[in-house]
Amino acid sequence: MFDLTGQKALIVGVANDQSIAYGIAAALRRQGADLAITYLNEKAEPHVRPLAEALGAEIIAPLDVRNGDETEALFDEISRRWGRLDTLVHSIAFCPKDDLHGRVIDCSSEGFGLAMDISVHSFLRLIRKSEPLMHEGGTCMTVSFYGAEKVVEHYNVMGPVKAALEAVTRYAAAELGPKRISVHALSPGPLKTRAASGIAEFDDLLNAAAERAPTHLLATIEDVGAYAAFLASREAANVTGGVHAIDGGYSIIG
């Protein structure tokens, strides 16, 4: 694929070896990138650390994006050890279960605010911390879903949340373009990840997506990783602000 030798990449969102973030991390590493990988908390660390070590991650650190001290410590370590950052991958989302499973109009203000903070504003916070380290340009990526654009049954409040994520991707791309920092949203079709399993009737959504997609195949984390490796490469330096469908054509069917 694309040569990323010597690039420095921060991956936020690895939970296990089925995570989209893990697929991206593995692809970037195969192409030569050096990795920093975060884990959410002590409970998550035993699941994430062995994966990070197997990928040869040079930095493995805790990061709850709501914790300002952990964010500062992470970027201090990146600055101290690397002095720069080339790629940021943000692959996290959250909504309280009761709000996620209810109607959008019944979503509590607290649940909506928490979903927006963790799923959307945290991307902006991480971009803001990454910007000073991207001295010669860089790439920032997040993960969206077709439910941001069209109503997908059972996706509920995450649809508006992902729509906001796609909007901030465009605005951030416009603001950072002069610094040669590109910003992207990757939009795979339904994937069987730990995070997605919280969506009601998710197996039905998977089956419907495979039936709907022209290829009749669901995207894999390897598919997403390959696309992310391209976007992180010099060859994609003039591509920015897009929502990139990686879904077997799922999103083109009416």
Side-chain angles (χ1 to χ4, degrees):
M1 284 189 287
F2 305 95
D3 185 10
L4 304 179
T5 302
Q7 283 204 22
K8 311 299 184 183
L10 168 60
I11 315 295
V12 178
V14 175
N16 55 39
D17 63 359
Q18 299 302 307
S19 301
I20 292 172
Y22 175 76
I24 295 173
L28 297 183
R29 183 61 187 149
R30 281 194 298 270
Q31 301 314 119
D34 301 319
L35 303 180
I37 293 177
T38 68
Y39 55 89
L40 177 60
N41 50 32
E42 290 182 357
K43 183 178 179 181
E45 183 178 3
H47 302 283
V48 178
R49 182 173 288 277
L51 298 175
E53 290 175 345
L55 291 174
E58 297 184 1
I59 297 170
I60 306 171
L63 181 64
D64 179 335
V65 292
R66 297 170 296 174
N67 187 320
D69 291 340
E70 287 185 355
T71 302
E72 289 294 331
L74 171 64
F75 280 90
D76 284 348
E77 185 171 6
I78 290 172
S79 181
R80 179 178 58 82
R81 294 194 58 174
W82 289 344
R84 75 175 211 271
L85 187 65
D86 300 291
T87 300
L88 164 68
V89 175
H90 168 277
S91 183
I92 57 174
F94 177 79
C95 182
K97 190 172 182 179
D98 288 345
D99 293 300
L100 177 62
H101 290 174
R103 300 187 305 172
V104 172
I105 60 174
D106 293 328
C107 184
S108 69
S109 60
E110 295 81 8
F112 191 85
L114 186 59
M116 288 289 289
D117 183 67
I118 294 176
S119 309
V120 182
H121 195 260
S122 68
F123 185 40
L124 294 177
R125 295 197 295 272
L126 293 176
I127 292 174
R128 190 162 60 244
K129 297 295 292 183
S130 300
E131 181 185 1
L133 294 170
M134 293 182 168
H135 313 299
E136 299 179 2
T139 306
C140 303
M141 291 179 260
T142 189
V143 178
S144 189
F145 180 63
Y146 180 67
E149 179 184 343
K150 301 291 184 182
V151 174
V152 174
E153 192 174 11
H154 305 300
Y155 201 57
N156 301 344
V157 73
M158 288 309 297
V161 170
K162 291 295 190 181
L165 183 63
E166 293 183 4
V168 301
T169 294
R170 290 186 286 271
Y171 277 85
E175 292 169 352
L176 295 175
K179 294 188 174 183
R180 293 185 294 155
I181 298 173
S182 60
V183 188
H184 308 277
L186 307 172
S187 185
L191 290 170
K192 200 161 191 175
T193 63
R194 180 181 176 184
S197 65
I199 299 170
E201 311 295 335
F202 188 67
D203 286 341
D204 291 342
L205 182 59
L206 288 172
N207 293 334
E211 179 66 25
R212 170 192 176 114
T215 64
H216 298 303
L217 296 172
L218 297 174
T220 66
I221 61 172
E222 290 78 17
D223 295 332
V224 182
Y227 204 105
F230 163 65
L231 292 176
S233 72
R234 295 180 182 87
E235 288 82 354
N238 203 31
V239 179
T240 193
V243 178
H244 304 270
I246 311 160
D247 60 6
Y250 168 83
S251 56
I252 69 171
I253 301 300

